[in-house]
């Protein structure tokens, strides 16, 4: 799954956060990362987990627009 971040200044923080949550993160663009969850077998379960992580991250960074893109 890919995550698009409106402001690349937050990219390092987002990557670090997702890594701490057990995600594998690879930067694939200036403000785009590809994320996978090894513990999640099904795509829909992984997407739900990632959505929850992003909601928590948005609560701390309300000024940053971040969204899942497929």
């Amino acid at each position: 799954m890919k995550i698009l971040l409106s402001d690349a200044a937050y990219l390092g923080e987002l990557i670090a956060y997702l890594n701490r949550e057990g995600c594998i993160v690879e930067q694939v663009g200036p403000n785009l990362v590809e994320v996978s969850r090894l513990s999640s077998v099904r795509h829909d379960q992984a997407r739900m987990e990632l959505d929850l992580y992003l909601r928590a991250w948005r609560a701390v960074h309300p000024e940053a627009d971040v969204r899942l893109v497929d």
Side-chain angles (χ1 to χ4, degrees):
M1 286 173 276
K2 292 183 180 163
I3 297 174
L4 181 63
L5 187 60
S6 63
D7 187 346
Y10 292 98
L11 197 59
E13 288 180 56
L14 179 62
I15 290 171
Y17 169 72
L18 292 171
N19 282 326
R20 286 191 304 272
E21 295 299 334
C23 297
I24 307 300
V25 184
E26 179 183 357
Q27 185 174 351
V28 293
N31 57 340
L32 185 67
V33 293
E34 189 159 340
V35 182
S36 60
R37 293 273 305 153
L38 296 179
S39 65
S40 299
V41 178
R42 296 186 347 235
H43 178 76
D44 59 333
Q45 180 183 355
R47 185 176 175 89
M48 184 175 61
E49 289 176 2
L50 192 52
D51 186 49
L52 290 172
Y53 295 142
L54 290 179
R55 286 180 192 206
W57 193 83
R58 282 185 198 113
V60 178
H61 303 87
E63 68 285 356
D65 183 31
V66 61
R67 61 185 167 99
L68 282 171
V69 292
D70 286 321

